[in-house]
Amino acid sequence: MRIVASYNVKGGVGKTTAAVNLAYLSAREGRRTLLWDLDPQGAATFLFRVKPRVKGGGGRLVRRERPIGAALKATDFTGLDLLPADVTYRNLDLDLAGAHGRSTKASRALGRLLGELADDYDVVFLDTPPSLSLVSENALRASDVVLVPIIPTVLALRTYDQLAEFVDGFDGRRPRLHAFFSMADRRKSLHREIIASLPGERDGISPTAVPALSQVEQMAVHRAPLPVYAPDSPATRAYHSLWTELAGLAGA
Amino acid sequence: MLGALNPAAGTRYTLSAGQATTRTVTYLDTVDWRLRRKGLVLRHERATSEAGTLRLDGTGDAVSATLPSPVAWPARIEHLPDGELRDGLADAMWVRAVAPVAKGRLVTREAAVLNEDGKIVVRLDWAELTGSEPVRTEPLVRVTVRPLLGYRRDAERVTRALRDSEGFEPAEDTLYQALLAAVGSTAEAIARPAISADMPADVAVATALLGFADTIVDNVDGVVDDVDTEFLHDLRVAVRRSRSLIKLAGDVLPERLVARHAPGFKWLGDVTTPTRDLDVYLLELEELAAGLVAGERQDLEPFAEHLDRERRKARRALVRALRSQRFTRLLDGWRSGLAGIAEREESEKDSERGLAARELVAGRLRRMVKKVTRRAQAITPDSPSEDVHDLRKRCKELRYLLEFAKPLCDESAFRAALKDLKKLQDILGDFQDGEVQSAALRVFAERMQEDPSRPPAATLLAMGELSARFVTLQRQARHDLTAALERFLGPDTQVRSEALLP
């Protein structure tokens, strides 16, 4: 089982969109895929038309009082299941700390929890909340690859560097970072320059750019992954490329 | 379809139907239902004009194989494409061919049950099968409720709604079983009328012989069409059974009937022997070739080709015989004569106070056991082969007599007696095989030498190796026979054979 986290400390950069579309493409290729919507806002859960509710809440899940398998929901797509968001996930940091104290165990609890599903899934996507919290640290530590959507601006790059530094400080196993350009607007010269130059200059940055298109925004209207209703969109093509890169990196 | 499924939606859900797929489905099995007896279902599905797909259920996960080219039914295992499906069928099919048992048109369609968010919470599989062969049937419909992970309650609700509605009830059989029932197939081996203890002896003997005659007739088409080698084998077993029973109890039947027909069964036995002998060789050849030590597997190829040519020749003669007037007259006359006795009016049966089946069986079995025992006691390590062969033949007669008497015997006593006999028969069979096979190899080799395309030396050497192996087999059997006879003649067997007598 390979684990991919879609992460950025900033919100609204395309984390959920990437997680949903890539999980869909992974399942379509025949991989048993799970998407865990860790964001209490539940955007991924909404996109799959699933009710944002986990019986017993996140607390009982991380305290292992309820089996993780009982919370899973099938999506409308073969081979793709969802662990939905729940409003109680806003307290997940406290729940994790409460269950495991300040020990290193607390930052690895989600990874161990996912271990229960190792025989059931080939790929797990984690859609993380936009923060640097115990939950996101858990997601980063559990992952084989961290997918980082970045808007091609200087400030966004700074955040990426901070993340790389943070992950570098991990003891033992470190995930690979894989950044890609999200919401790229080719009408803006800065976007064009950064997309053209950066992948050649820095490691871990994909040349793939997902364009900012209204088709992508319409995911919330269709409540479906982009390739389902816009299979020929340039954004769909970009997600295909991204999935090919990711599958290679994760060994999925 | 959506109309029929409407009750599943109720007021809570909406239904969305997928595309319908239509296929021609042919269910296949061997003539003796070997797949069905092992819980396997083999079907051939074809959407349009392509060769189609074979699908096997019942081995755990369903296995399917796309056919590269159309397969002509009946087909033996070697006619099916290599792969997992063939491996899953090999043991069950054995040497038998599969042929269509029922055919129909299958329309499948998936329907999704959606909740108020437009999320699929249950999937329904609609399957509608209309039988077309051997007879046309009404459409048979099955709806399978497929619960989705995390939506079990919705599935329960939909199932309940369907059950409560008119027109749906829980299915107790599969579509295949329903189709077999609809086309009137019992999917069982044909049950022959059994004999009973109080039957007049002639009625019992005629009933059993009539069963054997039916078996002969039932297998003729399979032999003529060369569907698989078991048709001929079964036909020959029925001939041997007939001949044994005529010999051991034919005296209770009208003398003229027996005198007129008995020689015909000897002829039938003789005319079927060459093909069967060649069948046995060809069936065993691969295993024999694999066991070669000095020779190579391919050394035997010219021998296999020779056997194949000989078999084609032998089969031509066999088919001629089975299509001859002599054969038709033999079976027709024999069956009508036997039927006259077996189906005699009840009143006529009662009016006779002759020998009952019970007495006949007891008398003949006792006599036959005595005969076999006497011959077995006379065998020493130095006895000539002919005596051993004679014992083998008598054992076979006893076996057929036992099988005739089976319905009259205590079941466990019968099983025990049969087991004793079988052990001895196996060794006697090996002894016979060893001798006959090594002698036959010599004849084959000579004939191949006479052929203008003389076989390579390697082939003859490999055949020599096989011959030596058969001689060893015969010697081993001769060695094992002493101990086997001791066991067979021991007190346990005697007790068991007494317990058996009705």
Side-chain angles (χ1 to χ4, degrees), chain B residues 202-398:
Chain B
D202 61 341
V203 174
V205 172
T207 304
L209 285 169
L210 200 54
F212 302 151
D214 289 346
T215 304
I216 294 174
V217 171
D218 289 348
N219 282 288
V220 168
D221 285 349
V223 175
V224 170
D225 297 338
D226 201 11
V227 170
D228 64 47
T229 55
E230 278 306 286
F231 284 95
L232 179 59
H233 177 61
D234 289 351
L235 185 149
R236 278 170 57 78
V237 170
V239 170
R240 281 204 299 270
R241 284 187 169 148
S242 303
R243 291 183 66 195
S244 281
L245 194 55
I246 291 170
K247 182 179 168 188
L248 300 174
D251 56 308
V252 301
L253 299 175
E255 210 179 315
R256 270 188 62 193
L257 179 72
V258 175
R260 191 182 300 160
H261 296 96
F265 288 101
K266 159 94 171 68
W267 164 75
L268 200 49
D270 290 346
V271 84
T272 52
T273 299
T275 308
R276 176 61 193 169
D277 284 352
L278 290 158
D279 278 348
V280 172
Y281 258 108
L282 282 164
L283 288 170
E284 286 178 354
L285 201 60
E286 200 171 319
E287 204 184 317
L288 290 173
L292 286 177
V293 183
E296 300 282 339
R297 188 187 281 255
Q298 64 270 22
D299 291 347
L300 286 175
E301 275 168 20
F303 178 44
E305 286 159 17
H306 174 75
L307 289 173
D308 211 45
R309 278 194 302 275
E310 292 286 310
R311 182 176 182 272
R312 277 202 293 270
K313 236 186 281 172
R315 262 189 52 76
R316 276 199 292 275
L318 170 63
V319 170
R320 262 199 310 275
L322 293 179
R323 283 183 173 152
S324 68
Q325 286 219 353
R326 183 176 181 185
F327 177 76
T328 315
R329 271 204 301 269
L330 169 68
L331 266 299
D332 286 354
W334 181 239
R335 285 165 94 198
S336 87
L338 293 173
I341 304 162
E343 291 156 18
R344 213 162 49 202
E345 289 296 318
E346 281 300 317
S347 55
E348 286 178 60
K349 288 180 194 171
D350 289 343
S351 65
E352 260 182 333
R353 288 275 169 240
L355 194 67
R358 182 191 298 106
E359 289 135 21
L360 174 82
V361 163
R364 302 298 155 99
L365 259 182
R366 195 164 282 131
R367 202 191 297 169
M368 197 65 223
V369 168
K370 218 180 259 172
K371 198 188 233 179
V372 167
T373 309
R374 236 185 356 253
R375 308 263 164 128
Q377 279 164 340
I379 300 283
T380 68
D382 303 320
S383 297
S385 294
E386 294 73 43
D387 292 358
V388 179
H389 289 317
D390 186 57
L391 175 63
R392 186 183 64 83
K393 286 182 194 161
R394 303 293 85 80
C395 282
K396 215 164 210 179
E397 286 173 0
L398 174 58

Side-chain angles (χ1 to χ4, degrees), chain A residues 180-228:
Chain A
F180 71 97
F181 299 112
S182 178
M183 305 166 93
D185 187 346
R186 293 205 172 261
R187 289 167 305 182
K188 297 180 178 164
S189 60
L190 181 63
H191 279 207
R192 282 200 307 277
E193 276 166 32
I194 291 179
I195 290 169
S197 60
L198 205 64
E201 293 165 8
R202 300 266 282 273
D203 282 345
I205 296 185
S206 161
T208 301
V210 177
L213 296 175
S214 65
Q215 277 169 327
V216 181
E217 286 167 12
Q218 279 172 8
M219 278 174 72
V221 179
H222 291 281
R223 295 184 76 178
L226 183 66
V228 172

Side-chain angles (χ1 to χ4, degrees), chain B residues 192-197 204 208 212 241 245 357-358 360-362 365 397-419 422 499-502:
Chain B
R192 309 280 183 208
I195 65 163
S196 65
F212 302 151
R241 284 187 169 148
L245 194 55
R358 182 191 298 106
L360 174 82
V361 163
L365 259 182
E397 286 173 0
L398 174 58
R399 171 85 172 265
Y400 291 146
L401 190 61
L402 264 176
E403 282 166 1
F404 165 68
K406 185 181 172 185
L408 274 52
C409 297
D410 171 70
E411 213 181 304
S412 64
F414 175 84
R415 263 206 308 273
L418 195 68
K419 203 172 152 194
K422 260 179 155 172
L500 179 76
L501 294 169

Side-chain angles (χ1 to χ4, degrees), chain B residues 61-92:
Chain B
D61 287 340
V63 193
S64 62
T66 308
L67 294 175
S69 54
V71 173
W73 311 113
R76 294 192 293 273
I77 194 78
E78 61 268 27
H79 300 137
L80 304 180
D82 251 336
E84 206 183 338
L85 178 124
R86 185 163 136 173
D87 295 345
L89 275 171
D91 277 351

